[in-house]
Amino acid sequence: MAALFCGGFSTFSLLYCAQPALPTFAREFNLTPAASSLALSATTGVLAFALLFAGTASDVIGRKRVMVISLAASSAIMLLAALARDWGQLLALRALTGLALSGLPAVAMAYLAEEMATSAVGLAMGLYIAGNTVRTLGGVFYAQGGWNGVAGLVGLLTVAGLVVALMLARVPPPKWMTQR
């Protein structure tokens, strides 16, 4: 359940960390408020489309693996987003974040339903969703570190969440890593 809390925190942090930065994006990149909202829309739009395929991928390579790959890839992309030099780069990386992130929310609920006792599913789903509340801290940090600093911080926090989730969920390494 703690691994799922980390997954929920990471999912919602990666997805919505741009929301408090929209005024900053408008100012720094000389955008209208509507144009700055593309930083969030690009991520959620690509995520919505990619969710259609993430479940199939989890049927082929396994639910835990899809969730781990999703979290690792989206965390790495967020770290790259912290280094974006212009609006186009930032938008492209936000869209890629949506694509990479799709494996976690698409698979988490199915995984819970399959792997946990029925009596524990409600609590586990609640912990996954509770990770959403922690994302609001991002708004506090924007005033201090700017959008680049917050993007880097979110990337690092989600990498830490990945490490914790891997340890707690006991995800086996891919076969190619153990073959000699």
Side-chain angles (χ1 to χ4, degrees):
M1 286 192 201
L4 286 166
F5 177 83
C6 289
F9 166 78
S10 297
T11 298
F12 294 111
S13 294
L14 289 163
L15 187 59
Y16 292 113
C17 70
Q19 192 169 15
L22 297 180
T24 303
F25 294 151
R27 188 174 50 257
E28 284 193 26
F29 296 112
N30 197 27
L31 304 168
T32 66
S36 73
S37 71
L38 287 173
L40 187 57
S41 300
T43 311
T44 55
V46 172
L47 171 70
F49 178 74
L51 286 171
L52 299 171
F53 304 100
T56 301
S58 74
D59 289 339
V60 174
I61 66 171
R63 301 211 192 290
K64 278 186 185 180
R65 283 207 175 104
V66 166
M67 290 187 291
V68 167
I69 291 167
S70 176
L71 186 52
S74 56
S75 297
I77 294 166
M78 180 54 90
L79 289 171
L80 289 174
L83 303 174
R85 297 193 182 268
D86 61 45
W87 182 241
Q89 286 179 353
L90 182 60
L91 275 184
L93 290 166
R94 291 292 297 159
L96 283 174
T97 299
L99 177 65
L101 190 56
S102 67
L104 200 57
V107 177
M109 297 305 165
Y111 176 78
L112 286 174
E114 292 172 358
E115 299 294 324
M116 302 195 92
T118 306
S119 60
V121 170
L123 175 61
M125 286 185 182
L127 284 172
Y128 178 76
I129 299 301
N132 181 29
T133 61
V134 182
R135 73 172 169 91
T136 59
L137 295 175
V140 173
F141 295 111
Y142 277 102
Q144 303 301 319
W147 70 267
N148 299 83
V150 174
L153 177 64
V154 169
L156 290 174
L157 287 173
T158 55
V159 167
L162 170 65
V163 170
V164 170
L166 285 172
M167 290 186 319
L168 295 174
R170 296 183 201 98
V171 178
K175 289 180 184 176
W176 61 269
M177 291 179 90
T178 59
Q179 292 176 345
R180 296 177 195 244

